[in-house]
Amino acid sequence: MSYQSFDVTPISGALGAEVHGIDLSIPLSKQTFEEVHEALLDNLVIFFRDQDLTPEQQLSFARRFGGIHLHPYMKGLDDHPEVLAIIKEKDDTRTFGASWHVDQMFTEKPAMGAMLYAKELPPAGGDTLYANMYLAYDALSEGMKDMLTNVKTFAVGDRFKRLGGQSRKDVYKGVSVMANHVKDPGDVKTENEHPLVRTHPETGRKALFIGGHVQRFAGMTDEESAPLLNYLKAHTVRPEFTCRFGWKPGSLAFWDNRCTQHFAVGDYNGSRREMHRVTIQGDRPV
Ligand code: SIN
C-alpha cells in the first residue's frame, strides 16, 4: 500500500509500521487524516517518531478518530482527565500492562484504539509487544473456527484470577506508583460478555477477541473453560503473529484495539518510564 502524504516502513511481517513525515502537533489535512486511518487499518499498529506533543495536542489528534474512552478504574491527569499517565518509578517493581491484553475489553464497548506517547524512557528495555488477532484467527483449523462460532467470553476489569483475585489497588500497593491512580468505577458496568470471534467493523475481517481480562467462556465454568481458553491465549501470541516496538522519547504508537493485543515489557526495574495514553471509544463487538 502506498500513501501520498507520508512513507510507511513495516517493522515486522505480522503487523506494525513506522509512519515518517508527519508532525502530529498540527491539525492533519483531510487527506493526511484519511491516509493515517488507512495506514492503521492496513498495519494494525502505526508508530510515529520524534513528536513533541502537549496533552492537548495528543487529544486533538485522538479526537479526529472518535470520542475519548475513559478508563473506569484509572484516573487521568489532573488537568487532562482524558490522558492516562502510565508511570513506573525507579523503585517500582510492578509494570502496568505487563500481560497480553486488549484495552478496557471488560467494558460494554471496548476501545476502538489507543495512542501511547513516550515522555521518559529507561536507558534500555521498556518495549511494547503487539499481536495480530486476524492472523491468530486465520491460522486456526476450519474445525476449530466452526466450534468457536457463537462462543462468548466473560471479561472483568478487576480482581483477576491470575492475580489471586486481589483488587487493583492491592496489586499496585507498595510496588507501583499506579496505586495512586486507581479509582472506583462508579456505576460503569465492568463485567461483560463479548463474542470470541469478532468481525472488524471497518475491514470486515474476523479476529479473535481475547486477552488477559477474559476469565472464562460465558455460560461455562472455570474448569470447563480453562483448557481451550489457555490454548487460545497462548496461540494468539505466537511469535509469528507479533511485533516489538522499541521506544524513543517522542515516539507515539497508535493501535487498533479491535484486532490486536499488546504487552508492556517490564524489564527495566531501577529506571523510570512515563507514557501518556489516550484511548478512543469503540463500539459493541459483533
Ligand atoms: C498499555 O496501554 O497497556 C501500556 C503499554 C505500555 O506501557 O507499553
Side-chain angles (χ1 to χ4, degrees):
M1 186 78 201
S2 71
Y3 306 89
Q4 303 294 313
S5 316
F6 44 76
D7 293 323
V8 169
T9 314
I11 70 160
S12 87
L15 79 166
E18 288 201 18
V19 172
H20 307 282
I22 300 189
D23 178 354
L24 300 176
S25 70
I26 50 179
L28 304 185
S29 68
K30 183 168 177 295
Q31 177 178 339
T32 306
F33 163 72
E34 283 169 1
E35 289 194 346
V36 169
H37 192 171
E38 201 54 45
L40 177 72
L41 296 181
D42 291 343
N43 296 286
L44 288 63
V45 53
I46 49 180
F47 307 103
F48 303 84
R49 297 284 191 190
D50 302 320
Q51 302 296 319
D52 186 6
L53 298 177
T54 62
E56 199 44 64
Q57 287 165 334
Q58 187 178 353
L59 278 167
S60 299
F61 177 48
R63 286 196 188 103
R64 297 290 293 270
F65 294 86
I68 305 305
H69 183 124
L70 297 179
H71 198 301
Y73 286 98
M74 306 302 299
K75 282 185 255 184
L77 299 177
D78 287 341
D79 48 352
H80 290 93
E82 310 95 327
V83 179
L84 171 64
I86 297 177
I87 299 174
K88 186 169 173 186
E89 296 290 0
K90 264 168 61 173
D91 296 335
D92 289 352
T93 49
R94 181 170 281 282
T95 307
F96 184 89
S99 65
W100 284 105
H101 66 281
V102 173
D103 282 336
Q104 284 104 269
M105 185 181 170
F106 52 87
T107 54
E108 274 183 282
K109 295 181 178 175
M112 165 269 183
M115 293 176 180
L116 189 67
Y117 174 57
K119 301 273 295 172
E120 184 178 342
L121 292 166
D127 294 354
T128 306
L129 312 179
Y130 296 88
N132 180 331
M133 295 301 102
Y134 295 135
L135 289 183
Y137 175 77
D138 292 345
L140 296 173
S141 65
E142 292 308 311
M144 180 62 92
K145 286 179 187 161
D146 285 347
M147 198 171 84
L148 299 185
T149 310
N150 300 325
V151 171
K152 290 197 165 186
T153 58
F154 174 73
V156 301
D158 199 4
R159 300 191 177 276
F160 308 118
K161 279 202 293 270
R162 74 184 158 77
L163 299 177
Q166 277 187 300
S167 72
R168 281 189 186 245
K169 192 101 194 166
D170 285 343
V171 164
Y172 294 124
K173 202 165 149 191
V175 289
S176 167
V177 68
M178 296 305 280
N180 304 332
H181 300 226
V182 176
K183 66 170 179 158
D184 189 293
D187 55 10
V188 178
K189 188 166 179 268
T190 58
E191 298 193 346
N192 281 284
E193 294 180 4
H194 293 301
L196 172 60
V197 179
R198 76 178 288 185
T199 303
H200 193 289
E202 297 189 82
T203 65
R205 289 184 67 184
K206 287 187 176 175
L208 284 172
F209 195 51
I210 194 168
H213 300 112
V214 173
Q215 306 296 290
R216 57 176 172 77
F217 297 121
M220 296 189 205
T221 64
D222 290 348
E223 292 71 21
E224 288 166 340
S225 306
L228 182 55
L229 194 54
N230 291 340
Y231 166 76
L232 289 172
K233 283 187 178 178
H235 164 80
T236 51
V237 297
R238 272 167 39 187
E240 63 270 33
F241 304 150
T242 70
C243 71
R244 181 175 189 128
F245 183 62
W247 297 91
K248 296 191 179 120
S251 302
L252 182 139
F254 179 14
W255 59 90
D256 188 333
N257 200 47
R258 302 163 294 188
C259 52
T260 59
Q261 289 187 72
H262 58 282
F263 185 117
V265 181
D267 57 351
Y268 56 96
N269 287 358
S271 297
R272 189 176 192 277
R273 180 176 183 266
E274 176 173 349
M275 316 291 279
H276 280 185
R277 197 180 83 189
V278 174
T279 309
I280 302 157
Q281 287 172 3
D283 41 24
R284 193 183 299 277
V286 286

